[in-house]
Amino acid sequence: MSRWWLVLVFIACQRDRRPSELPGAEPFEADVATAIAANKGDAKFANRLILERSPYLLQHAHNPVDWRPWGPEALAAAKRLNRPILLSIGYSTCHWCHVMERESFEDVEVATAINRTFIAIKVDREERPDLDRSYMAAVQRMTGSGGWPLTVFLLPDGKPFFGGTYFPPRDGDRGKGLLSIIAELGKAYREDPEELAKHASALIAELDRPPPRGDVPGASAITAAVDELERSFDGVWGGWGRAPKFPRPSVIELLLHHHRRTGDAKSLEMATVTLDRIAAGGIRDHVGGGFHRYTVDDKWRVPHFEKMLYDNAQLASIYLAAYQVTGRDDYAAIARDTLDYLAREMRDPANGFYAASDADSEGHEGSYFVWTTSEIERLAGADAAIVREVFDLTVGGNFERGTNLLWRPKSVAEVAERLRTSPAEIEQALARVVPKLRAARDKRVKPFVDKKILIAWNALAISAFAQAGLILDDQAYKDLARSTAEAVLSKMTDGLAHAIVDGVATGKGYLDDHAFLVAALLDLHEAVPDPKWLQRAIAWQTTQDKAFADPAGGYALSSGSHEKLQITDR
């Protein structure tokens, strides 16, 4: 090979290391191009998100879409170029966010259309809950529903005029595709921007109507709420309404409180039936502990497999409350199982608890959590027949691609009767097999974990561990609650932040950060009597009152120091 050929290869390799121009996009500013070149690695594309800290934004940093983070620069670019904005809001462990990324945002044709028509902005809803709440309210008003990924089209001033959630890339049996929507909205903006502006202003005015004022609701409001819950209650499978089903721990907490105050048997029945069905369902991780976010069916069987800290913290607290009301040891065991999962798999040694783990691994949703029958039989050995019956396993699989998800539609007594054995033998077999399943699963490729430390969600975890320490008289749980509070508060040197990312406090705390932290410190003071926790709770409550209290009553979700949005964040 001649030395000229080697020189050409070297030049080509160096050229490949430069940031590729994004198709249809504006050229990068010189400083941005330099930063991207330094961080791009071997990826074909890179955009401005490569300079961000958010795991969700970084997941999109190598899309051919010219993504920008939300901020003055992006909004100024929309006005300077006179382009509408495509705002995409999601989070790092969102399954359908991953689907839309693969189908649309990694598609060069779709990316080119976006880049030529819009200023594209990505937002991590967990970093900016105020933006998420505001634009979610707009989409829900426009379409009657919401969810993630949230896809909103804005005027250059940030006012929304069209939106939805997931869109497929092209027209088909899943509905109108993103390419068609881009073409139609781009044409509408070019030909009649005044009409879009009128529509957006009307929507803003409707959303910004002041909430109704009145007296503080009394006992009659709680009674009315319980009556409404009874009308929509699923008496067979628990929960409320049709699929998809979410655990709704605040609703269960209301029912338990209502029962304790009034003795109402129906409130307790709705709470316990729901808790029993959730604990037996596929929404619960029967091998590793904890709960997935929700199920797509009405039997709690098929989950979206992501796990969120806030769900697990609240559910642990609810099972502890149910244990106090009923005295049922299985509720205490479920709470322990959930808290032990958080301590084992979601604990940051330095700062608290991670935000969430993904539904997907190795390119498939749920692959970390499901099993083939042959795997179960090999690991269970002589107990295989019991495990198959307990978890409703089939040879061909009860889930996708010939796999089984674990759920328990029959009680231990029913399984024992069917297999002509005792309930004790069923429990003993599970105690032998589940650790083997966990050990085998630990060798698989684990789902991605979003390691943001969110203050509000960590406060919920502090409450759950403090309550468990007190109710179950467990010093280890008390110690975890205390150490988490100390770690989180040690980072709050300049007011309450919203999150800790890579060990650094970021963002200004919102109402839920303050409120949940105050509640957590009160729970901690009750479990670990120490005046400093009560003093800190009072101090943060004072801060909350100054920053968020509305003179007309109630609290705003954002303070005056937060960014002022087009839609009031109440």
Side-chain angles (χ1 to χ4, degrees), residues 55-116:
Y56 176 63
L57 299 188
L58 289 172
Q59 287 174 351
H60 293 264
H62 295 294
N63 295 164
V65 178
D66 187 16
W67 292 118
R68 304 168 188 248
W70 179 276
E73 294 83 1
L75 300 176
K79 292 178 180 178
R80 173 171 50 83
L81 298 171
N82 190 27
R83 289 186 185 178
I85 294 166
L86 188 160
L87 175 64
S88 178
I89 303 178
Y91 56 102
S92 67
T93 58
C94 164
H95 171 69
W96 282 101
C97 299
H98 300 331
V99 173
M100 193 164 177
E101 179 188 18
R102 287 194 299 266
E103 292 182 346
S104 293
F105 303 144
E106 293 179 352
D107 184 306
V108 172
E109 182 184 7
V110 176
T112 302
I114 292 172
N115 295 342
R116 288 175 175 169

Side-chain angles (χ1 to χ4, degrees), residues 371-374 388 391-399 402-404:
W371 304 84
T372 63
T373 304
S374 61
R388 284 198 305 269
F391 291 119
D392 192 40
L393 310 183
T394 65
V395 173
N398 64 20
F399 187 51
T403 62
N404 291 276

Side-chain angles (χ1 to χ4, degrees), residues 135-216:
Y135 288 113
M136 183 68 75
V139 169
Q140 288 174 328
R141 183 58 60 95
M142 285 188 280
T143 68
S145 62
W148 299 279
L150 185 65
T151 308
V152 199
F153 297 86
L154 318 176
L155 298 173
D157 63 3
K159 292 179 182 176
F161 63 87
F162 184 79
T165 54
Y166 161 83
F167 291 108
R170 293 168 180 81
D171 297 350
D173 56 8
R174 291 181 295 171
K176 180 170 286 191
L178 193 57
L179 277 171
S180 294
I181 292 169
I182 290 168
E184 292 175 12
L185 295 181
K187 181 181 179 182
Y189 184 78
R190 289 190 303 272
E191 295 181 354
D192 198 354
E194 292 80 9
E195 182 62 27
L196 291 182
K198 184 195 301 185
H199 172 70
S201 295
L203 177 63
I204 295 290
E206 188 175 350
L207 290 168
D208 273 350
R209 288 175 183 167
R213 302 292 184 182
D215 296 331
V216 175

Side-chain angles (χ1 to χ4, degrees), residues 152-388:
V152 199
F153 297 86
L154 318 176
L155 298 173
D157 63 3
K159 292 179 182 176
F161 63 87
F162 184 79
T165 54
Y166 161 83
F167 291 108
R170 293 168 180 81
D171 297 350
D173 56 8
R174 291 181 295 171
K176 180 170 286 191
L178 193 57
L179 277 171
S180 294
I181 292 169
I182 290 168
E184 292 175 12
L185 295 181
K187 181 181 179 182
Y189 184 78
R190 289 190 303 272
E191 295 181 354
D192 198 354
E194 292 80 9
E195 182 62 27
L196 291 182
K198 184 195 301 185
H199 172 70
S201 295
L203 177 63
I204 295 290
E206 188 175 350
L207 290 168
D208 273 350
R209 288 175 183 167
R213 302 292 184 182
D215 296 331
V216 175
S220 61
I222 296 175
T223 301
V226 171
D227 290 343
E228 180 59 34
L229 288 169
E230 186 171 349
R231 282 191 285 273
S232 61
F233 179 64
D234 182 342
V236 176
W237 292 101
W240 294 269
R242 299 178 180 177
K245 274 189 175 175
F246 292 79
R248 301 174 70 181
S250 60
V251 169
I252 302 171
E253 182 180 23
L254 172 68
L255 293 171
L256 291 174
H257 279 295
H258 185 253
H259 168 73
R260 294 180 79 166
R261 290 188 177 188
T262 67
D264 181 65
K266 186 63 179 180
S267 292
L268 181 61
E269 178 190 348
M270 287 191 285
T272 55
V273 168
T274 301
L275 289 172
D276 291 347
R277 288 298 194 179
I278 289 172
I283 192 172
R284 184 179 175 197
D285 181 353
H286 295 276
V287 172
F291 295 87
H292 305 293
R293 186 162 171 260
Y294 69 98
T295 57
V296 300
D297 64 297
D298 62 355
K299 299 179 176 63
W300 306 104
R301 190 179 83 87
V302 181
H304 269 309
F305 290 88
E306 65 263 43
K307 291 182 176 180
M308 315 301 290
L309 174 59
Y310 66 87
D311 284 327
N312 283 281
Q314 291 181 93
L315 284 167
S317 291
I318 290 303
Y319 278 99
L320 287 167
Y323 166 65
Q324 287 183 294
V325 172
T326 65
R328 285 176 48 178
D329 290 336
D330 59 326
Y331 286 158
I334 293 166
R336 282 189 180 276
D337 191 46
T338 306
L339 294 172
D340 291 347
Y341 149 72
L342 291 177
R344 184 179 64 252
E345 298 189 26
M346 300 297 287
R347 176 77 171 162
D348 184 312
N351 295 318
F353 291 93
Y354 302 138
S357 65
D358 209 331
D360 297 17
S361 59
E362 298 186 282
H364 295 286
E365 183 185 14
S367 61
Y368 181 73
F369 299 98
V370 297
W371 304 84
T372 63
T373 304
S374 61
E375 286 178 306
I376 294 288
E377 290 179 342
R378 177 175 55 82
L379 293 165
D383 295 316
I386 289 176
V387 174
R388 284 198 305 269

